[in-house]
Amino acid sequence: MSVKCTSDLNIDSELIIVKEHVRDREEILAKLAGLLYHKGYVKESFLSAVLKREQEFPTGLQTRITGVAIPHTDSEHVVRPALAVATLASPVQFHSMELPEKRIPVEIVLMLAIKKAEAQLDVLKRVMSILNNEKLLRFLLSASKPDQLATTLADIF
């Protein structure tokens, strides 16, 4: 199921993985970037650009109930805008956006592939609305099917 949203992001249930088992942040970043690449949303350079940006500008955020990461990179690596999402069976460590030396156990990863720079602010506002909504975060963590997440996220984006 693929949905185009008002923010111009494509939300596709094939870009959503739930309760995924991974060893570390690099593995989940590679999985999400791979999904985006194989569906034609990003260029081959996307993953290495995300990893580089994550080292320079970490994306881990601690909400009241869980850690969330929002990895992304420059639009030059994006073909079409999309959102790839993972919920994790066990948290993995990301560096904090606010204090890069601090590590945050992350259970939700929202990978952004934004094509137009002017769309970035709107998309980030919508992401912040997710981070500030405990009920929604609990739903994301408990969802067992990608379609459930796609439908809910389409309403936000």
Side-chain angles (χ1 to χ4, degrees):
M1 176 181 85
S2 180
V3 182
K4 188 154 182 148
C5 305
T6 56
S7 67
D8 202 33
L9 276 184
N10 289 290
I11 297 181
D12 185 332
S13 60
E14 292 182 18
L15 298 176
I16 298 173
I17 49 181
V18 296
K19 306 200 184 303
E20 189 71 8
H21 293 272
V22 294
R23 291 181 311 273
D24 54 33
R25 73 181 167 116
E26 288 78 12
E27 184 177 358
I28 193 58
L29 293 175
K31 283 185 178 198
L32 290 175
L35 291 174
L36 287 164
Y37 176 70
H38 291 294
K39 294 281 290 178
Y41 289 104
V42 299
K43 298 177 183 176
E44 193 172 354
S45 60
F46 185 80
L47 175 58
S48 61
V50 165
L51 291 170
K52 182 177 183 208
R53 188 177 193 293
E54 195 68 33
Q55 286 180 335
E56 296 170 10
F57 304 103
T59 63
L61 291 167
Q62 184 63 53
T63 70
R64 280 186 237 165
I65 65 164
T66 192
V68 179
I70 313 161
H72 56 284
T73 192
D74 299 325
S75 61
E76 69 190 63
H77 305 283
V78 178
V79 177
R80 297 181 296 146
L83 173 67
V85 179
T87 62
L88 305 177
S90 299
V92 296
Q93 300 295 312
F94 274 75
H95 289 278
S96 168
M97 184 184 291
E98 298 158 331
L99 296 168
E101 66 279 359
K102 182 180 176 187
R103 291 179 181 256
I104 293 174
V106 166
E107 292 180 280
I108 300 172
V109 181
L110 304 170
M111 182 174 276
L112 305 172
I114 300 173
K115 182 65 179 159
K116 298 177 188 168
E118 61 271 14
Q120 186 168 349
L121 184 58
D122 180 52
V123 169
L124 291 175
K125 282 182 187 176
R126 293 168 196 253
V127 168
M128 292 311 291
S129 75
I130 295 170
L131 300 180
N132 291 318
N133 185 330
E134 286 184 44
K135 184 178 176 184
L136 178 58
L137 288 170
R138 288 185 201 287
F139 171 77
L140 295 178
L141 288 170
S142 68
S144 59
K145 296 181 181 173
D147 286 352
Q148 294 172 305
L149 293 180
T151 301
T152 300
L153 292 169
D155 289 343
I156 295 165
F157 290 97

